[in-house]
Amino acid sequence: MKKDYSILKKSDVPAFFASLANEMQLIGPKQLFAGDVTFDVIQSHKDIYWDYGHVVYPPKRFLLPHFEDMFRYTCDEQIKIEPTCNPQPQAIVAIRSCDVAAIRFQENFFSYPIVDPYYKERLNNTVLFNLVCNTPPKEECFCICCDSGPWLESGFDVQLTDLGDRFLYEVGSDKGEKATEPRAYMLLPATPADIEARRQIELQADSRFQTVSYLAKAINFISADEVPAKIWEDLGSTCFRCGACTNLCPVCTCFTVDDREEPDGTFTRCRSWDSCQYAGFTREASGHNPRPTFGSRVARRFYHKTSYQYIIRDGRHGCVGCGRCITACLTKLGLPDVVKRIRREMHEFLPPKEKAAEV
Ligand code: SF4
Ligand code: SF4
């Protein structure tokens, strides 16, 4: 799709999003009474809190709810199935680049090999208004190492870059085009100076990051299954299996499915978030658990996130560098920490020749 840059003046932002709210529900960053910022349903465009840095809780629940009814069924003489999912149009406004990249990962995950109609329908009804990070990133952020920020080349429907008194407005998809069209009269043509201002933001981005993660070496070790069980068990021995890392990760997709009996005798099939760090996630009906130890579950998590096998299947590695698992984990099992420990600790397992090449 041809890149098309415009300008949305900040003085026109209220009218723009008030008009959009007439067509779809707005989700956006909202400041709570104690000062925390979280993504929530926006009742008035005035509630969109544009000047946030990064939210701990990702907006993934608006596409993959914590808990959702999938369908209702009866088990009378004939089984009758009634769908319950009816997603309404929504726009996620001021979503960060890393979270958009995570949604694109999830879109792939829920499309292959079997299409998940629940995720697909919600995403089809969602317009993503990405807001480029041009303030200093949080200490934990490393999106720049994961090709998922601070701005995006693709994956957004609309991308906004804050240029002071105006936003550079970039349409990235047909869905973005459709959401823009009724309000296009509020947009002005972008000038070369606007494009240059954005370019300067891109040039300055690299120097702002405090966390870097050299994933490539760890990806090689993990993909080749060369990381000894001892390293995984050492890492796993510190895990509390609280599930914070996977719950906060915008990429993680684990879920479980249950059936609930309703008071009227019908049943509802529902799904809810789960975590590969919980023993019950892989425990089979027989009681056998193919991943019985903490180490084997931590290994699984990182194998899923970084191995070539999954990179090929999912189109990218399963980390967008948002840093939330660093913030969440009390015992330093965030992705960059684990990558660093694998790089360091593998050293003692390497044959002498490779060891020399490593130094
Ligand atoms: S946040 Fe840390 S302690 Fe909690 S489950 Fe994840 S790895 Fe384990
Ligand atoms: S693994 Fe950690 S840093 Fe990477 S996307 Fe998930 S929460 Fe963010």
Side-chain angles (χ1 to χ4, degrees), residues 97 132-138 141-145 148-152 161 197-212:
S97 303
V132 168
C133 289
N134 62 355
T135 50
K138 279 184 76 173
C141 296
F142 60 101
C143 60
I144 199 130
C145 307
S148 51
W151 66 91
L152 292 174
T161 307
R198 158 71 183 279
R199 173 93 187 115
Q200 287 306 317
I201 290 170
E202 292 180 7
L203 290 175
Q204 288 159 16
D206 297 32
S207 57
R208 293 175 154 179
F209 284 82
Q210 298 174 53
T211 297
V212 287

Side-chain angles (χ1 to χ4, degrees), residues 32 47 58 65 67 86 88 99 101 130 134 139 170 175 189 206 209 230 241 253 286-287 304 318-319 343 352 354 359:
L32 306 179
D47 293 340
F67 192 89
N86 181 22
Q88 299 302 306
D99 287 332
N130 175 33
N134 62 355
E139 192 186 332
E170 220 176 312
K175 229 192 300 175
D206 297 32
F209 284 82
K230 180 182 177 325
R241 60 246 182 248
T253 47
S286 66
H304 200 173
C319 174
R343 280 170 57 85
E354 284 182 43
V359 180

Side-chain angles (χ1 to χ4, degrees), residues 194-267:
D194 295 322
I195 310 290
E196 178 54 26
R198 158 71 183 279
R199 173 93 187 115
Q200 287 306 317
I201 290 170
E202 292 180 7
L203 290 175
Q204 288 159 16
D206 297 32
S207 57
R208 293 175 154 179
F209 284 82
Q210 298 174 53
T211 297
V212 287
S213 185
Y214 301 108
L215 284 158
K217 200 77 190 172
I219 287 176
N220 286 344
F221 288 138
I222 292 171
S223 302
D225 205 12
E226 284 175 348
V227 182
K230 180 182 177 325
I231 292 185
W232 289 124
E233 290 306 332
D234 283 352
L235 289 165
S237 67
T238 63
C239 174
F240 290 123
R241 60 246 182 248
C242 64
C245 52
T246 51
N247 273 294
L248 290 183
C249 179
V251 175
C252 283
T253 47
C254 293
F255 63 84
T256 193
V257 173
D258 289 301
D259 285 0
R260 183 181 69 229
E261 186 171 5
E262 305 294 353
D264 64 0
T266 62
F267 295 86

Side-chain angles (χ1 to χ4, degrees), residues 33 64-65 86 138 157 181 198 223 259 270 295 298 304 309 338:
F33 66 92
L64 181 66
N86 181 22
K138 279 184 76 173
D157 296 315
E181 218 247 341
R198 158 71 183 279
S223 302
D259 285 0
C270 28
V298 171
H304 200 173
Q309 291 84 337
V338 171

